[in-house]
């Protein structure tokens, strides 16, 4: 089944793609291109996915695959003067791509929040942590400063900041990296977002703090029933948190499935590579057996055919199709979509006999 048919199916045959979906978040054929002096950078090129409340989608791919551009697109944060954005992003029945900046701002404030890798970039250095949470809270809640301050202290306590009634008056630089990340989560959650986008939220943190932050997100999700998009280059980070995983390569989706399928029955050679290069505590770095050789492609001139073909050890098994014909995303098994020319039976054989035993 090709991309078009997939769309037709989800759209219930609606002409023009204008019908509102039933999913809480639905992204349809999203494209985000940047015209530059060197050429058109196709950072996101035909991405489609869905997410329900209370569920988590992991978007995984190497650096430069278009993950952050996607998340900024969902938040409606690209400047239309230097980005060409097309497709549809439906959030709770409202379409974002075609909305005015004012409408998007209102929607963002009410429904969405984002956690970045580097909290310092989104916290103001000259205001106390507490004041920033108070301001964020009061934008959407008509309450006195005193009530908002109590709420800020409460939120800081809930994200695990010790002595929150004292730390509320600290400045961001007085917090450690992990504490700052927690404070940013408190700030993001202080307006009860229905959609939380976490872009590499734990990349800069050590393993223990990383695990604590992921636990925290899981608890808060249970409490607020938020939908979460967790963006990472490391499949390990989303193994326990995500319900579904979308693997991106060169601005496109190459595999999209339930987390169990991605870890136990992956069907794309690039996903095999990501699994093989996952850091493992029980194994020395040098013992990782299947690192992906080569570098990610330029998004101005993607390789012809399958964008992964220069790095794929199976590209020659397809009578040259890997070099000439771009594989469409197909639903090979219920809810399991993959873009690769390899025959399904051959792929299962390779996974079972060659890849899985080495992981
Ligand atoms: N404003 C922009 N203008 C031109 N190219 C951009 C712009 N923003 C991002 N890109 C390019 O888009 C590609 C994807 O970037 P990004 O989404 O940040 O990757 P990831 O988050 O997966 O590491 C990169 O090659 C990046 O250089
Ligand atoms: S289409 Fe060819 S190059 Fe691309 S992942 Fe499949 S086998 Fe490898
Ligand atoms: Mg990024």
């Amino acid at each position: 089944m090709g991309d078009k048919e997939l769309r037709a199916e989800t759209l219930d045959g609606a002409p023009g793609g204008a019908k509102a979906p039933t999913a809480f978040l639905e992204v349809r054929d999203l494209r985000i291109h940047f015209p530059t002096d060197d050429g058109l950078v196709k950072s996101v090129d035909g991405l489609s996915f869905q997410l329900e409340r209370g569920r988590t989608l992991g978007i995984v791919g190497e650096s430069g695959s278009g993950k952050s551009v996607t998340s900024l697109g969902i938040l409606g944060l690209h400047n239309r003067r230097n980005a060409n954005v097309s497709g549809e992003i439906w959030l709770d029945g409202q379409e974002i791509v075609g909305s005015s900046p004012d409408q998007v701002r209102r929607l963002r404030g009410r429904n969405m929040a984002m956690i970045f890798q580097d909290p310092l970039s989104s916290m103001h250095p000259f205001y106390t942590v507490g004041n920033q949470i108070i301001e964020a809270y009061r934008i959407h809640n008509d309450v006195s400063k005193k009530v908002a301050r109590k709420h800020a202290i409460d939120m800081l306590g809930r994200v695990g900041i010790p002595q929150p009634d004292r730390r509320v008056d600290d400045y961001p630089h007085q917090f450690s990296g992990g504490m700052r990340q927690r404070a940013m989560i408190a700030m993001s959650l202080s307006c009860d977002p229905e959609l939380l986008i976490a872009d590499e939220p734990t990349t800069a943190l050590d393993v223990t703090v990383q695990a604590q932050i992921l636990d925290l997100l899981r608890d808060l999700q249970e409490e607020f029933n938020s939908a979460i998009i967790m963006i990472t280059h490391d499949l390990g980070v989303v193994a326990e948190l995500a319900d579904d995983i979308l693997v991106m390569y060169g601005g496109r989706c190459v595999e999209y499935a339930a987390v169990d399928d991605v870890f136990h029955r992956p069907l794309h050679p690039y996903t095999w590579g990501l699994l093989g290069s996952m850091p493992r505590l029980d194994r020395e770095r040098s013992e990782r057996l299947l690192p992906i050789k080569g570098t990610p492609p330029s998004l101005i001139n993607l390789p012809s055919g399958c964008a992964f073909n220069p790095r794929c050890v199976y590209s020659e098994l397809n009578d040259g199709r890997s070099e000439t014909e771009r594989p469409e995303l197909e639903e090979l098994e219920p809810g399991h979509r993959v873009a690769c020319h390899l025959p399904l039976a051959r792929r299962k054989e390779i996974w079972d006999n060659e890849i899985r035993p080495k992981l």
Side-chain angles (χ1 to χ4, degrees):
M1 190 166 50
D3 225 353
K4 281 218 175 67
E5 285 151 290
L6 253 178
R7 268 165 48 93
E9 191 185 79
T10 33
L11 288 176
D12 217 7
K19 196 174 162 190
T22 52
F24 173 59
L25 172 69
E26 184 164 330
V27 172
R28 292 173 179 166
D29 202 25
L30 179 65
R31 285 166 212 269
I32 303 174
H33 297 174
F34 300 98
T36 69
D37 290 344
D38 299 322
L40 192 62
V41 183
K42 297 183 176 179
S43 300
V44 179
D45 204 28
L47 207 60
S48 301
F49 58 83
Q50 295 188 351
L51 183 61
E52 296 294 352
R53 283 191 174 84
R55 309 276 292 176
T56 299
L57 170 73
I59 299 185
V60 185
E62 286 163 298
S63 173
S65 54
K67 306 182 299 296
S68 294
V69 170
T70 302
S71 55
L72 295 174
I74 295 169
L75 292 166
L77 285 174
H78 289 294
N79 183 339
R80 296 306 177 83
R81 268 180 303 218
N82 48 38
N84 305 334
V85 184
S86 70
E88 297 163 38
I89 300 170
W90 292 90
L91 181 73
D92 205 12
Q94 264 186 281
E95 206 286 311
I96 294 172
V97 175
S99 293
S100 72
D102 265 356
Q103 285 171 315
V104 175
R105 208 169 299 127
R106 273 199 296 275
L107 196 63
R108 189 164 59 227
R110 210 180 66 228
N111 288 350
M112 308 186 236
M114 180 140 177
I115 305 172
F116 298 94
Q117 176 178 336
D118 173 16
L120 279 181
S121 66
S122 57
M123 287 187 144
H124 200 292
F126 300 150
Y127 292 91
T128 63
V129 169
N131 269 333
Q132 297 184 57
I133 299 177
I134 289 167
E135 287 311 311
Y137 187 59
R138 288 187 78 206
I139 291 174
H140 307 288
N141 297 278
D142 187 16
V143 295
S144 68
K145 270 207 163 137
K146 203 173 153 203
V147 170
R149 182 181 164 87
K150 199 178 161 304
H151 175 79
I153 294 170
D154 184 40
M155 285 308 293
L156 288 174
R158 287 204 357 232
V159 298
I161 307 252
Q163 298 181 289
D165 49 339
R166 278 186 41 209
R167 303 299 310 251
V168 70
D169 295 318
D170 279 356
Y171 290 88
H173 69 88
Q174 292 174 285
F175 278 46
S176 68
M179 286 298 159
R180 232 167 5 229
Q181 195 58 282
R182 283 166 199 264
M184 186 165 53
I185 292 175
M187 197 163 104
S188 305
L189 292 175
S190 63
C191 45
D192 296 355
E194 296 174 292
L195 172 66
L196 182 68
I197 303 182
D199 191 349
E200 313 253 10
T202 61
T203 299
L205 307 173
D206 72 52
V207 184
T208 319
V209 182
Q210 185 172 324
Q212 288 169 353
I213 300 277
L214 294 177
D215 278 349
L216 173 66
L217 283 175
R218 199 179 0 233
D219 290 350
L220 293 169
Q221 178 177 47
E222 230 162 73
E223 187 174 336
F224 295 110
N225 199 31
S226 331
I228 297 183
I229 297 181
M230 172 69 78
I231 293 181
T232 174
H233 64 275
D234 177 1
L235 260 176
V237 167
V238 285
E240 297 194 6
L241 200 69
D243 298 291
D244 296 318
I245 291 184
L246 187 154
V247 180
M248 269 185 99
Y249 190 78
R252 297 188 186 127
C253 172
V254 295
E255 183 155 12
Y256 178 28
V259 66
D260 222 36
D261 285 335
V262 170
F263 279 90
H264 301 295
R265 290 166 287 279
L267 291 172
H268 196 283
Y270 180 62
T271 311
W272 298 340
L274 289 178
L275 285 165
S277 45
M278 239 168 78
R280 283 193 27 183
L281 294 176
D282 58 342
R283 206 181 262 168
E284 288 295 314
R285 190 171 270 267
S286 58
E287 277 185 272
R288 280 180 227 150
L289 294 175
L290 299 162
I292 311 169
K293 296 204 177 76
T295 49
S298 143
L299 296 175
I300 294 178
N301 287 307
L302 277 182
S304 61
C306 171
F308 189 51
N309 89 66
R311 305 171 73 187
C312 181
V313 281
Y314 307 102
S315 62
E316 275 151 34
L317 299 177
N318 296 300
D319 303 325
R321 277 175 84 203
S322 291
E323 285 82 36
T324 55
E325 195 184 317
R326 190 205 315 165
E328 293 291 337
L329 196 65
E330 285 183 88
E331 188 167 15
L332 294 179
E333 281 165 359
H336 194 157
R337 296 179 168 86
V338 192
C340 171
H341 290 308
L342 274 175
L344 181 58
R346 183 80 182 94
R347 243 180 288 174
K348 287 183 168 172
E349 223 174 77
I350 296 175
W351 165 249
D352 281 336
N353 303 328
E354 296 174 30
I355 314 286
R356 194 171 53 180
K358 289 192 208 158
L359 291 179

